[in-house]
């Protein structure tokens, strides 16, 4: 069975660095299909070239975030949900391009998280749906499954909006791909309140906590971290541009 991973990505100075780091982790994973969805009107040359050289089995898609929901440079990052249109486009691609009989798993990967290779082994043991804690998430050391017993999640460990049906980061769960064909409407919405993207998707698949298989050593191992890449500072570059002396534009960063 294949792990289908959907990664939204958008243009910023650290994009190629983030994609490089992620792809070189993924090169160690067998039976893996990377669905990369650019937040753009058209596929960019940078990502197109990057993917053709990355050595992974991939599908390259694009879907631009609706302008009404697009973060401005000055906005705090939590103002709008991120990756909504891109993940939906990835889901549609799976529903239209793989047979409903295909055995596989679905996992959502931010382009800037940090993944332990053991995680992919855990994902492959998923029957219906599985969960594990995500490090550095939810304003905590980790967030996600709390008390687990006999491979089942019995409670959640979270501090923020604990009433959420699934108080868990996007990186903290995987599902059997067959659910996408069973529940064809399941997906993401820009109207989702802050912190509810994951809950909206998982409840759309008719899942509850009772369905969640506890991975990562009864959810006591941290195998993924919600790291976030610092924005690159371009103060000197901007000065040089004003002086008419920008860095060599032929060097892709
Ligand atoms: C957290 C979760 O880890 C995300 O999966 C979730 O989408 C997000 O919160 C949310 O609640 O919307 P965070 O690190 O804050 O993530 O978000 P980003 O990593 O900035 O964005 C998530 C993904 O969407 C990334 O792969 C990013 O490249 C992509 N993205 C972000 C876009 O495609 N377009 C954007 O304008 C911003
Ligand atoms: Mn992120």
């Amino acid at each position: 069975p294949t792990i289908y991973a959907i990664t939204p990505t958008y243009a910023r100075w650290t994009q190629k660095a983030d994609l490089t780091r992620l792809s070189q982790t993924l090169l160690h994973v067998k039976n893996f299909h990377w669905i990369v969805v650019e937040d753009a009107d058209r596929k960019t040359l940078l990502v197109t070239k990057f993917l053709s050289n990355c050595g992974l089995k991939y599908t390259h898609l694009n879907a631009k975030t609706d302008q009404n929901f697009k973060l401005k440079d000055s906005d705090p990052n939590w103002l709008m949900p991120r990756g909504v249109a891109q993940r939906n486009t990835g889901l549609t691609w799976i529903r239209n391009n793989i047979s409903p009989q295909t055995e596989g798993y679905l996992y959502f990967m931010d382009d800037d998280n940090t993944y332990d290779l053991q995680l992919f082994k855990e994902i492959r043991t998923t029957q219906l749906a599985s969960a594990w804690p995500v490090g550095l998430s939810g304003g905590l050391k980790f967030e996600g499954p709390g008390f687990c017993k006999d491979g089942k999640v019995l409670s959640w460990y979270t501090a923020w909006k604990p009433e959420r049906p699934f108080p868990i980061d996007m990186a903290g769960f995987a599902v059997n791909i067959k659910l996408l064909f069973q529940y064809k409407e399941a997906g993401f919405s820009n109207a989702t309140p802050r912190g509810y993207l994951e809950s909206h998707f998982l409840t759309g698949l008719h899942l509850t906590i009772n369905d969640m298989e506890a991975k990562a050593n009864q959810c006591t191992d941290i195998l993924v971290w919600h790291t976030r890449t610092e924005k690159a500072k371009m103060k000197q570059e901007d000065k040089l541009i004003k002086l008419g002396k920008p860095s060599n534009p032929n060097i892709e960063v």
Side-chain angles (χ1 to χ4, degrees), residues 110 112-113 226-228:
D110 283 12
D112 59 346
N113 288 341
H226 182 238
T227 46
R228 306 195 58 231

